[in-house]
Amino acid sequence: MSDGDAGYSGALPRVRFNMARYCLGVAAQAAPEKTGLIVLGGTAENPVTETWTFGELELATRRVGAALQAFCAEPDGRIFLLLGNTSAFPLAYFGAMAAGLVAVPVSSQLTAQERSALKVDARPALVVGGAVDPDCDIPHLTEEELVASARNGAPLSDYADTRADDPAFLVFTSGTTGGAKGVLHAHRSAWGRRPMYRDWYDISGADRVLHAGAFNWTFTLGTGLADPWANSATAIVNTRRRTPDMWPALIRATGATLFAAVPGLYRQILKYAPKGPLNVGQLRHGLSAGEALTERVAEEWSARTGTQLHSALGMSEISTYVSASPQRPACSGTVGQAQRGRAIAILPIDNATGDSATPLSTGEVGLLGVHRTDPGLMLGYWQRPRETAAAMRGGWFCGGDLASIDAQGFVTHHGRADDLMNAFGYRVAPQDVEEALGDVPGVTEIAVTEIEVREAVSIIAAFFVPADAGVDGRALESALSQKATMALADYKQPRAYIAVDALPRTTNGKMQRRALQAIYDHKVRN
């Protein structure tokens, strides 16, 4: 356990602090002609479609900020960003914060039903991008209008004079009780990412950071854009779908020195690349987060590329806070150590006891907590004060990860304390999927969980009970799949449908989701 009594020990931001100024303004002033963003969207031979200098990025962002401010003059007004995977997304995201507004990035993969629910929850002052909804009375700005403002609009006279604790952006993540849960972050969250610079990235202004994710993913917005820009490094983001075998060529072609992706993509790259040594050009090392990185993948990557993969553990509420780095590599079987400046502890799983805020001893498994004084920690769950309070244990915030810490401070992750599933880095609540599929005719019950189909490969699977024992199971599978396609974002959709006679439950009727893995294994073997 780290010494958590003193809380966060790193430097704190100034009282007046604007995230957009911190990430873009400083770099633009110091090196306006330096390339800040490279967008990939072309062919394998000519992958680069856009190149932006820091000066161009800052001017476009401040122009967009002024355009958004014209629609929403009130401070802290929420801007619902429903943009495609184009450079307009980061311009709107940072533009909103530059103007003192609150950016609400939303995945373009969501269905109309899912988007509508988030609008009701977020109550935005403006919707940017996406199709115009005739039944929605919220003002709407098209992506074309946004791009036009970035090119020709009048810029903000200056960044909004926000406080470090003022709201900056609101992201939605699935909650443990079903339904999307808003996580509200302050401008200081960008400053709170500083411990990652040395203890995960080992980043400098000379780096070129290639992120495999889309613009609308918070992993990309943070690791792929905010952190490189805050260090005057070049950010490289892909806007087109790429097959796993193409990534090594993109790493070489762009001169990337750092590459960030979920562990599943590293596994796919290794699988589909030609056997033998893998040329990754100038890459110094890879960054892995969003899922557990297996030793097998890390070892094969190292053997074939001559570079290391450094993993990190985090959550939407604070981003990564435990990690490995070139200077502090992880011990076998661990994620790494708490990033310097952060205070972490292992707390009892049972919150009913009087000592639930007293850290456990070295080596014991419990809830991983981070000190609530950490500047990277969220302001709270949007409109859910009880859930915010429930996640606090004295001076600690617990996000639901089970872990242990050894005498050297290395953290071993033991999974989640709840039923949340992990689909390529997205946190998905099984209740969300079950609710969407619950009214398919011919199905009496359905339970959804994450199952391991082979080593290091997990999928979302739906187990259903047919209403009639003689019904065609394949027909029900087809009906469930069709409903999932209509009602759920692609990453939330089950990849397997398994018919069962009954769902496993406890004596008091509670679903035993973990027992579903055994049912799947039995059916596969037989």
Side-chain angles (χ1 to χ4, degrees):
M1 184 194 76
S2 66
D3 181 9
D5 294 338
Y8 183 83
S9 60
L12 296 174
R14 295 180 178 179
V15 174
R16 314 304 300 193
F17 181 85
N18 183 281
M19 179 171 168
R21 184 199 298 272
Y22 172 75
C23 293
L24 270 176
V26 176
Q29 184 175 11
E33 300 304 317
K34 182 179 180 179
T35 299
L37 176 65
I38 296 174
V39 179
L40 307 179
T43 64
E45 294 75 21
N46 297 292
V48 178
T49 56
E50 297 179 60
T51 301
W52 296 70
T53 66
F54 278 112
E56 291 169 338
L57 282 169
E58 190 204 27
L59 178 59
T61 296
R62 290 174 58 187
R63 283 171 170 170
V64 168
L68 298 178
Q69 195 176 60
F71 281 90
C72 183
E74 295 183 8
D76 299 351
R78 289 167 296 286
I79 308 299
F80 200 81
L81 304 180
L82 191 58
L83 293 161
N85 192 29
T86 70
S87 56
F89 209 113
L91 296 180
Y93 178 73
F94 287 98
M97 291 183 283
L101 305 172
V102 179
V104 186
V106 177
S107 171
S108 59
Q109 298 181 54
L110 297 181
T111 64
Q113 181 179 340
E114 291 171 318
R115 294 195 300 268
S116 178
L118 293 186
K119 288 178 187 176
V120 170
D121 193 359
R123 300 197 304 274
L126 175 68
V127 175
V128 180
V132 177
D133 184 355
D135 298 324
C136 181
D137 59 0
I138 303 172
H140 188 277
L141 186 68
T142 67
E143 183 169 344
E144 292 74 19
E145 291 170 327
L146 183 86
V147 171
S149 69
R151 291 173 177 166
N152 307 311
L156 291 166
S157 58
D158 197 2
Y159 291 94
D161 186 26
T162 51
R163 297 176 304 159
D165 287 332
D166 284 342
F169 63 95
L170 173 66
V171 295
F172 282 94
T173 182
S174 294
T176 59
T177 57
K181 179 165 58 177
V183 178
L184 185 63
H185 276 284
H187 283 268
R188 58 173 161 75
S189 65
W191 183 276
R193 302 179 66 89
R194 291 169 69 91
M196 303 181 211
Y197 301 168
R198 177 175 55 168
D199 288 340
W200 187 26
Y201 306 136
D202 184 33
I203 195 171
S204 75
D207 278 309
R208 297 165 71 87
V209 184
L210 172 59
H211 199 294
F215 277 122
N216 57 22
W217 193 11
T218 51
F219 183 18
T220 309
L221 292 170
T223 299
L225 294 176
D227 296 336
W229 289 349
N231 287 276
S232 298
T234 300
I236 310 169
V237 182
N238 173 51
T239 61
R240 289 187 62 185
R241 183 167 184 159
R242 301 285 179 183
T243 56
D245 61 303
M246 293 182 66
W247 284 106
L250 290 177
I251 293 172
R252 294 193 301 271
T254 58
T257 57
L258 300 176
F259 178 57
V262 295
L265 182 57
Y266 285 110
R267 178 182 56 79
Q268 291 177 344
I269 291 172
L270 294 170
K271 178 180 178 180
Y272 292 104
K275 299 299 181 183
L278 188 56
N279 183 0
V280 289
Q282 302 176 55
L283 189 72
R284 295 198 292 118
H285 53 265
L287 306 169
S288 173
E291 301 169 344
L293 175 66
T294 66
E295 288 190 54
R296 183 175 61 83
V297 170
E299 290 172 357
E300 183 179 355
W301 178 273
S302 176
R304 295 179 61 184
T305 68
T307 68
Q308 301 295 315
L309 292 181
H310 297 294
S311 60
L313 175 64
M315 50 189 166
S316 300
E317 293 85 343
I318 193 174
S319 194
T320 74
Y321 58 106
V322 174
S323 60
S325 69
Q327 285 73 36
R328 299 201 308 169
C331 286
S332 178
T334 72
V335 180
Q337 298 169 287
Q339 294 160 359
R340 281 169 283 192
R342 303 196 193 276
I344 65 172
I346 303 299
L347 304 174
I349 298 174
D350 186 2
N351 196 21
T353 60
D355 61 351
S356 62
T358 301
L360 299 175
S361 301
T362 298
E364 290 191 84
V365 177
L367 285 173
L368 179 59
V370 61
H371 206 274
R372 62 195 304 172
T373 56
D374 197 303
L377 188 62
M378 66 173 184
L379 289 168
Y381 293 118
W382 173 246
Q383 299 189 110
R384 300 194 184 198
R386 290 186 179 179
E387 290 194 33
T388 303
M392 300 297 178
R393 301 279 192 90
W396 305 99
F397 169 82
C398 296
D401 286 299
L402 294 174
S404 60
I405 306 176
D406 67 17
Q408 288 71 46
F410 287 99
V411 176
T412 299
H413 189 230
H414 297 279
R416 296 282 303 169
D418 52 38
D419 290 326
L420 283 181
M421 303 178 293
N422 198 319
F424 260 79
Y426 291 97
R427 293 171 66 188
V428 180
Q431 294 89 343
D432 286 353
V433 184
E434 291 165 1
E435 183 178 358
L437 304 181
D439 60 352
V440 173
V443 175
T444 58
E445 283 190 296
I446 188 165
V448 175
T449 192
E450 180 182 0
I451 61 172
E452 187 176 57
V453 293
R454 58 182 183 275
E455 184 184 1
V457 179
S458 297
I459 63 171
I460 294 177
F463 295 77
F464 64 94
V465 179
D468 185 347
V471 74
D472 183 353
R474 295 190 176 225
L476 288 182
E477 290 179 29
S478 177
L480 287 165
S481 179
Q482 290 177 15
K483 182 62 184 295
T485 300
M486 293 187 295
L488 296 165
D490 180 71
Y491 64 85
K492 295 182 182 181
Q493 296 173 26
R495 303 305 178 196
Y497 296 86
I498 300 98
V500 295
D501 296 329
L503 296 176
R505 297 183 181 277
T506 63
T507 54
N508 62 5
K510 185 177 180 181
M511 179 68 63
Q512 293 181 300
R513 295 186 192 280
R514 294 183 181 179
L516 294 172
Q517 177 74 56
I519 294 175
Y520 175 83
D521 292 342
H522 176 75
K523 283 186 171 288
V524 169
R525 285 195 300 267
N526 296 281

